């Protein structure tokens, strides 16, 4: 078998023991890698119905099929646990060296069970596993933790996935970080914190071989060359931050907690402004010839020295969405989140909820007493220092930060219960996961793509905004094509998330990003790596199976049709300004779109999966458990 | 800063252009071993801070310290190209050459425990494969003289254009 070792490493933190599970080639052909294989490992290993913070919720890591080869942007792994934020599947991806080290250590996946009594750094050193005391790493930020471990091991090729202080403090949207990249969303860092797992380190010294190296080298060289051209210029030159002005023009840039879709100071927090005033260097993940990470630094003012990579999602959420027009405060906020190991997207949305709650008079200055400001402070929209202080309080669970660290859904529910208010009406989340930076009131296809998302409010698992923004459909109205579009775009994304390949490469195969442009080359890459004989249809099935196993997991954890929802605001509060003003997604529209989507998927009207559908996908054991 | 002492060609990396992708290491190890393994690469990337990165391969020094340090006369330098060759029969993996190299450009093969040094892909028709693959043209096969010429051109351009 090429491309895989056929072995999954199980690690039990409770009893500090390990065992090896062998998987047949047929299993890999079904689930491939990345989020699909990680979700399948979770399906097989979780105690059904468990508390996400209990020892019965395993950490499942699945490597990428192309990790450790020159296939561009193939250095990624998938990470899955039951999400403490949503109670459903938490599946994430992260790029760079960690996946490559794991590949060279010859493990296709890791499953970490149980919980440790004391803080631990699990070190997978090729075949050996060490449970190392992590006490001396506590309190270190994500970057410091990785460096401290490399220093301790004396080998700069040791790669670690870690949690920062917010993971240690069990912030509900804490991340897992490796090599400056994050396995973000859904709160993996809190799961790791619940197991007292500070870091997972890997050293792999074995060479990686593939079935047909000549073909793989030729294909990879051609894609590498194509990745220097116009197909990636958006990512290479300004990065995704260029979306700020694009979204603003469409009236879709979430502003002041999604109250509006245009921000009057968008220029000041745009990718163009970032490039002119803050850009230090553009860097890449390991194995990536594109390089999209726009490393940006603060050079003046109180946040001088803060530096991190700036992408659109973190920029919208901590910038316009908090009414902040000072790029220096935005960089500081994102740097703070990255170092603390928490999701900068969710953070911006919980801070904006706090600001709106303050401006509406539910919160007062006294609610924000803290060590830094003993008399409290006033977190009105646009107050960058207040946002920074709130983020520090969340990281440390200090004062009101202890409530905000629970995310928008739980924080609003707690405040509403205590004070008899209705702050849930502006808590911008789906299934508990804070929303991404595209206002779905002006993107009707995207609205259903988001609502049905298996991990909640996430733009990365559905590309349903694409037909809306490209103008292939009228983005303000609905029709009976939208269910099929939502299905098609989510399964398209799932192919990339499963291999995994970074989606930024999608135009570099032939110049066209659609299935016809990409799937034939992806099939050739799979075949040259593994020796299989995959074709277009097989690639298409990768996406459907990946999405199905995640959905099946949610169903088994108690999902019902009512869980596919949108935030209250998107149903009831139209925006007043810009090209998307006046629109909402009515509840009737959403229910109709869900009908269409379930039908397009071949599911029941309740959103459940027929047994035969699962059997047709080769997932007989899943059919047995949750098929109807 | 340590610079080359060579009249010969060697592979150099422009840290301003390097993005830290490690593709050079993949391609090098594949060319030399048929496997992808950065531990087997004769060019090594290094990232000391998030934005500080470069790649290092043999600088083909004159009076090369590695050759002087070798107690078993296992290392020899090609008088035409400056490439330093390792005689596998003589090398015993003592690593004195590694300690002698100011550039950290020599490594020990973890399998054979013998020293390995960049040979500029002298057997490849299209030259060093890392240079061919580098997506940002950060790597090149050059000499100190050619680098000096370029530095003069750049200086003149900046002076004349004021940029």
């Amino acid at each position: 078998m090429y491309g895989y070792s056929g072995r999954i490493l199980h690690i039990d933190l409770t009893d500090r023991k390990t065992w090896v599970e062998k998987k047949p080639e047929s299993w890999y052909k079904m689930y491939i890698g990345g989020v699909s294989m990680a979700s399948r490992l979770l399906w097989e290993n979780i105690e059904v119905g468990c508390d996400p913070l209990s020892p019965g919720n395993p950490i499942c890591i699945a490597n990428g099929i192309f990790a450790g080869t020159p296939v561009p942007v193939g250095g990624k792994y998938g990470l899955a646990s039951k999400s403490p934020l949503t109670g459903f599947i938490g599946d994430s991806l992260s790029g760079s060296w960690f996946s490559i080290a794991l590949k060279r250590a010859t493990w296709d996946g890791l499953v970490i069970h149980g919980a440790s009594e004391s803080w631990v750094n699990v070190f997978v050193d090729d075949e050996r596993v060490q449970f190392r005391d992590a006490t001396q790493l506590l309190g270190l930020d994500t970057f410091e933790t990785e460096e401290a471990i490399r220093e301790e091991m004396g080998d700069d090729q040791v790669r670690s996935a870690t949690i920062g202080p917010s993971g240690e403090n069990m912030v509900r949207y804490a991340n897992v970080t490796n090599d400056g990249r994050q396995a973000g969303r859904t709160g993996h860092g809190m799961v790791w914190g619940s197991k007292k797992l500070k870091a997972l380190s890997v050293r792999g010294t074995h060479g990686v071989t593939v079935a047909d190296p000549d073909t793989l080298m030729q294909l990879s060289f051609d894609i590498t060359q194509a990745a220097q051209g116009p197909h990636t210029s958006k990512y290479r030159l300004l990065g995704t931050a260029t979306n700020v002005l694009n979204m603003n023009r469409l009236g879709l840039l979430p502003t002041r907690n999604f109250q509006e879709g245009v921000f009057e100071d968008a220029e000041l927090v745009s990718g163009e402004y970032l490039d002119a005033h803050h850009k230090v260097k553009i860097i890449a993940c390991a194995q990536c010839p594109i390089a999209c990470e726009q490393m940006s630094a603060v050079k003046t003012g109180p946040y001088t020295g803060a530096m991190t990579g700036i992408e659109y999602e973190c920029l919208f959420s901590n910038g316009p969405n908090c009414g902040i027009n000072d790029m220096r405060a935005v960089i500081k906020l994102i740097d703070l989140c990255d170092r603390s190991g928490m999701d900068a997207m969710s953070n911006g949305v919980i801070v904006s909820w706090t600001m709106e709650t303050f401006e509406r008079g539910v919160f007062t200055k006294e609610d924000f007493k803290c060590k830094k400001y003993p008399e409290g402070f006033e977190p009105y929209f646009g107050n960058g220092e207040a946002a920074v202080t709130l983020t520090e309080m969340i990281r440390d669970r200090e004062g009101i930060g202890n409530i905000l660290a629970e995310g928008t859904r739980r924080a609003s529910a707690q405040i509403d219960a205590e004070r008899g208010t209705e702050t849930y009406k502006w808590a911008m989340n789906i299934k508990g996961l804070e929303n991404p930076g595209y206002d779905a009131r002006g993107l009707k296809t995207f609205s259903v793509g988001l609502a049905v998302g298996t991990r909640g409010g996430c733009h990365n698992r559905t590309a349903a905004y694409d037909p809306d923004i490209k103008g292939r459909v009228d983005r303000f109205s609905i029709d009976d094509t939208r269910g099929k579009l939502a299905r098609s775009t989510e399964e398209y994304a799932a192919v990339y998330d499963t291999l995994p390949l970074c989606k930024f490469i999608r135009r570099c195969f032939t110049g066209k990003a659609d299935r016809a442009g990409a799937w034939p080359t992806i099939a050739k890459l799979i075949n040259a790596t593994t020796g299989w004989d995959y074709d277009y249809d097989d690639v298409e099935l990768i996406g459907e199976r990946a999405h199905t196993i995640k959905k099946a997991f949610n169903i088994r954890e108690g999902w019902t049709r009512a869980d596919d929802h949108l935030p209250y605001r998107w149903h009831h509060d139209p925006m007043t300004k810009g090209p998307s003003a006046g629109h909402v997604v009515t509840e009737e529209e959403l229910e109709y779109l869900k009908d269409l989507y379930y039908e397009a998927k071949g599911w029941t009207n309740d959103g459940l999966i027929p047994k035969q559908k699962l059997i047709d996908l080769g997932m007989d054991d899943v059919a047995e458990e949750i098929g109807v | 800063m340590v610079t080359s002492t060579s009249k010969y060609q060697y592979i150099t990396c422009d840290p301003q252009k390097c993005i830290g992708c490690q593709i050079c290491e993949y391609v090098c190890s594949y060319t030399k071993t048929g496997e992808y393994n950065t531990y087997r690469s004769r060019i090594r990337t290094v990232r000391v801070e998030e934005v500080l990165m470069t790649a290092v391969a043999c600088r083909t020094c004159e009076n090369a310290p590695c050759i002087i340090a070798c107690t078993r006369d296992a290392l020899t330098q090609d008088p035409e190209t400056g490439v330093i060759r390792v005689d596998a029969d003589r090398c015993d993996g003592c690593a004195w050459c590694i300690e002698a190299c100011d550039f950290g450009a020599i490594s020990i093969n973890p399998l054979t425990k013998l020293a390995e040094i960049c040979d500029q892909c002298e057997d490849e028709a299209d030259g060093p494969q890392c240079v061919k693959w580098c997506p940002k043209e950060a790597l090149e096969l050059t000499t100190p003289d050619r680098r000096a010429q370029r530095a003069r051109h750049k200086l003149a351009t900046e002076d004349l254009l004021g940029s």
Side-chain angles (χ1 to χ4, degrees):
Chain A
M1 189 160 43
Y2 284 99
Y4 300 99
S5 67
R7 302 183 314 154
I8 307 291
L9 175 62
H10 289 260
I11 299 167
D12 186 337
L13 295 176
T14 308
D15 297 330
R16 301 214 162 179
K17 62 180 185 189
T18 66
W19 65 97
V20 176
E21 179 188 10
K22 293 199 169 142
K23 290 285 191 188
E25 192 163 21
S26 56
W27 187 83
Y28 292 102
K29 284 187 161 179
M30 291 279 290
Y31 298 105
I32 308 290
V35 298
S36 180
M37 194 202 289
S39 300
R40 173 69 203 195
L41 286 171
L42 183 62
W43 169 271
E44 293 177 8
N45 288 285
I46 195 171
E47 286 172 19
V48 178
C50 73
D51 180 336
L53 303 177
S54 71
N57 183 22
I59 297 162
C60 301
I61 290 177
N63 215 338
I65 189 170
F66 303 126
T69 75
V71 174
V73 304
K76 292 176 92 75
Y77 68 93
L79 172 62
S81 289
K82 184 174 177 179
S83 165
L85 209 49
T86 69
F88 295 122
I89 189 134
D91 57 302
S92 295
L93 284 169
S94 181
S96 221
W97 286 285
F98 183 85
S99 64
I100 297 157
L102 188 63
K103 176 74 81 166
R104 287 203 305 259
T106 69
W107 299 109
D108 297 329
L110 306 177
V111 182
I112 301 176
H113 307 262
S116 178
E117 274 184 21
S118 58
W119 285 98
V120 67
N121 168 21
V122 173
F123 180 35
V124 177
D125 191 8
D126 280 337
E127 292 289 317
R128 296 183 306 152
V129 178
Q130 291 176 25
F131 296 90
R132 300 171 71 96
D133 180 22
T135 314
Q136 78 285 3
L137 300 173
L138 292 181
L140 298 184
D141 75 29
T142 54
F143 295 87
E144 293 166 344
T145 305
E146 279 185 49
E147 281 309 319
I149 293 169
R150 274 193 282 275
E151 189 66 26
E152 191 182 315
M153 309 292 187
D155 185 345
D156 62 10
Q157 296 212 41
V158 172
R159 295 294 162 184
S160 302
T162 74
I163 57 172
S166 61
E168 294 170 27
N169 295 333
M170 308 267 280
V171 172
R172 204 166 277 273
Y173 54 88
N175 274 346
V176 169
T177 303
N178 63 282
D179 310 306
R181 307 295 308 173
Q182 288 88 23
R185 319 302 333 259
T186 70
H188 291 286
M190 189 191 208
V191 175
W192 287 39
S194 75
K195 298 182 183 307
K196 288 195 160 54
L197 179 63
K198 172 68 176 169
L200 172 63
S201 303
V202 181
R203 171 160 55 195
T205 64
H206 298 282
V208 177
T209 53
V210 297
D212 179 358
D214 289 343
T215 303
L216 194 78
M217 292 300 274
Q218 190 56 53
L219 288 168
S220 299
F221 187 77
D222 293 345
I223 298 164
T224 300
Q225 294 295 305
Q228 309 311 314
H231 306 316
T232 60
S233 52
K234 171 180 173 184
Y235 308 118
R236 285 186 291 112
L237 302 177
L238 296 176
T240 55
T242 188
N243 279 353
V244 169
L245 294 183
N246 293 339
M247 290 304 125
N248 200 48
R249 271 191 289 274
L250 293 166
L252 300 170
L253 176 67
T255 300
R256 295 185 177 82
N257 198 33
F258 293 80
Q259 294 186 79
E260 297 292 346
V262 287
F263 185 45
E264 64 281 7
D265 289 330
E267 296 280 346
L268 296 177
V269 287
S270 64
E272 290 74 3
Y273 187 93
L274 190 75
D275 187 59
H277 299 279
H278 297 283
K279 190 80 62 68
V280 177
K281 192 172 181 197
I282 303 171
I283 63 171
C285 289
Q287 207 177 319
C288 169
I290 300 173
C292 71
E293 178 121 79
Q294 316 286 318
M295 297 301 294
S296 307
V298 180
K299 297 162 186 169
T300 57
Y303 309 126
T304 299
M307 180 182 76
T308 191
I310 304 292
E311 294 165 75
Y312 171 70
E313 292 297 335
C314 305
L315 182 50
F316 107 80
S317 61
N318 294 281
N321 191 48
C322 292
I324 296 173
N325 62 9
D326 182 354
M327 188 67 99
R328 298 171 300 177
V330 180
I331 294 172
K332 174 64 184 178
L333 280 164
I334 300 171
D335 186 41
L336 192 54
C337 287
D338 288 350
R339 291 188 180 282
S340 311
M342 55 188 185
D343 193 89
M345 284 174 71
S346 282
N347 191 68
V349 178
I350 186 76
V351 170
S352 69
W353 173 85
T354 309
M355 288 174 158
E356 182 165 353
T357 305
F358 171 78
E359 291 207 347
R360 287 174 182 269
V362 177
F363 287 145
T364 59
K365 189 177 173 183
E366 284 68 41
D367 285 309
F368 299 98
K369 287 179 179 168
C370 58
K371 286 197 287 285
K372 196 166 159 190
Y373 297 103
E375 307 297 315
F377 57 91
E378 298 189 327
Y380 47 82
F381 281 115
N383 186 344
E385 170 62 12
V388 169
T389 308
L390 280 172
T391 303
E392 291 166 343
M393 292 169 73
I394 291 168
R395 174 195 64 196
D396 300 335
R397 279 190 176 269
E398 180 194 359
I400 199 164
N402 194 36
I403 298 172
L404 304 180
E406 292 294 311
T408 46
R409 185 170 67 177
R410 283 177 178 76
S412 63
Q414 182 176 342
I415 294 298
D416 292 346
E418 287 172 6
R419 307 189 184 189
T421 52
E422 292 184 318
T423 66
Y424 74 89
K425 289 183 174 176
W426 54 90
M428 299 305 291
N429 68 75
I430 295 169
K431 297 185 176 69
L433 182 67
E434 283 71 22
N435 282 11
Y438 310 88
D439 201 301
R441 282 168 290 194
L443 298 168
K444 291 281 172 79
T445 317
F446 189 46
S447 74
V448 64
L450 275 181
V452 302
T454 49
R455 76 168 182 176
C458 171
H459 65 295
N460 236 320
R461 297 287 179 267
T462 169
Y465 50 80
D466 203 54
D468 288 328
I469 290 175
K470 297 267 171 64
R472 290 206 296 276
V473 296
D474 173 26
R475 64 187 176 98
F476 298 115
S477 64
I478 62 170
D479 58 53
D480 62 8
T481 65
R482 308 306 171 90
K484 290 193 191 80
L485 282 171
R487 175 191 169 174
S488 165
T489 50
E490 81 186 358
E491 290 176 7
Y492 173 89
V495 170
Y496 283 90
D497 295 339
T498 294
L499 296 167
L501 287 175
C502 172
K503 298 182 185 87
F504 292 179
I505 203 76
R506 65 190 184 278
R507 289 189 191 87
C508 299
F509 304 115
T510 60
K512 289 208 179 301
D514 60 9
R515 287 163 158 84
W519 281 192
T521 310
I522 286 176
K524 282 184 204 164
L525 288 169
I526 293 172
N527 296 340
T529 302
T530 60
W532 299 344
D533 54 352
Y534 265 47
D535 61 16
Y536 182 103
D537 293 335
D538 294 316
V539 175
E540 182 65 23
L541 266 178
I542 290 172
E544 186 172 6
R545 285 205 188 97
H547 188 265
T548 302
I549 189 66
K550 293 190 287 179
K551 176 70 177 187
F553 177 88
N554 285 358
I555 291 171
R556 198 173 64 175
E557 294 293 333
W559 174 92
T560 67
R561 185 179 162 125
D563 289 306
D564 285 353
H565 70 95
L566 291 174
Y568 178 94
R569 169 156 282 165
W570 281 353
H571 288 313
H572 300 280
D573 304 343
M575 294 182 277
T576 66
K577 295 181 213 158
S580 301
H583 296 276
V584 293
V585 184
T586 67
E587 293 189 26
E588 293 71 31
E589 280 179 323
L590 179 63
E591 292 310 312
Y592 175 59
L593 288 167
K594 282 159 63 178
D595 290 343
L596 293 173
Y597 166 79
Y598 300 143
E599 190 190 344
K601 294 291 285 190
W603 298 346
T604 71
N605 193 250
D606 291 328
L608 302 177
I609 314 178
K611 269 201 168 71
Q612 194 55 47
K613 177 84 190 162
L614 291 159
I615 292 166
D616 291 346
L617 289 169
M619 302 163 78
D620 298 50
D621 61 329
V622 178
E624 201 60 29
E625 282 199 62
I626 57 102
V628 291
Chain B
M1 183 186 167
V2 199
T3 56
S4 175
T5 61
S6 179
K7 67 184 178 190
Y8 300 114
Q9 293 194 108
Y10 62 97
I11 291 163
T12 182
C13 177
D14 181 344
Q16 299 297 324
K17 292 182 181 170
C18 178
I19 56 172
C21 67
Q22 284 189 311
I23 289 173
C24 50
E25 297 187 5
Y26 287 57
V27 172
C28 179
S29 60
Y30 173 73
T31 305
K32 293 299 175 192
T33 72
E35 297 182 344
Y36 308 110
N37 187 352
T38 55
Y39 279 95
R40 295 292 307 277
S41 176
R42 300 175 186 201
I43 184 168
R44 290 292 177 93
T45 56
V46 57
R47 191 183 290 213
V48 284
E49 292 281 338
E50 272 184 285
V51 293
L52 298 178
M53 59 200 71
T54 190
V56 183
C58 175
R59 300 283 182 117
T60 59
C61 307
E62 293 183 84
N63 300 316
C66 55
I67 296 177
I68 296 166
C70 181
T71 57
R72 297 173 61 88
D73 295 333
L75 303 187
T76 52
Q77 187 163 34
D78 187 311
E80 295 295 316
T81 63
V83 165
I84 290 166
R85 299 207 173 80
V86 182
D87 182 339
D89 292 334
R90 285 177 174 270
C91 174
D92 67 353
C94 73
W96 280 28
C97 56
I98 293 179
E99 294 201 34
C101 179
D102 282 335
F103 304 101
I106 306 178
S107 46
I108 291 282
N109 177 333
L111 296 177
T112 63
K113 307 291 181 198
L114 302 180
E116 290 182 339
I117 304 177
C118 168
D119 65 1
Q120 303 174 6
C121 291
E122 51 188 3
D123 298 333
E124 301 291 327
D126 50 356
Q129 297 298 293
C130 57
V131 174
K132 175 185 163 187
W133 276 72
C134 179
K136 303 300 178 192
E137 297 176 351
L139 296 177
E140 65 175 333
L141 186 62
T142 188
T143 64
D145 272 352
R146 265 183 261 153
R147 297 189 78 191
Q149 282 181 42
R150 179 164 332 140
R152 289 193 287 272
H153 277 277
K154 184 161 174 274
L155 187 70
T157 311
E158 283 171 5
D159 278 356
L160 293 170
L161 298 178
S163 62

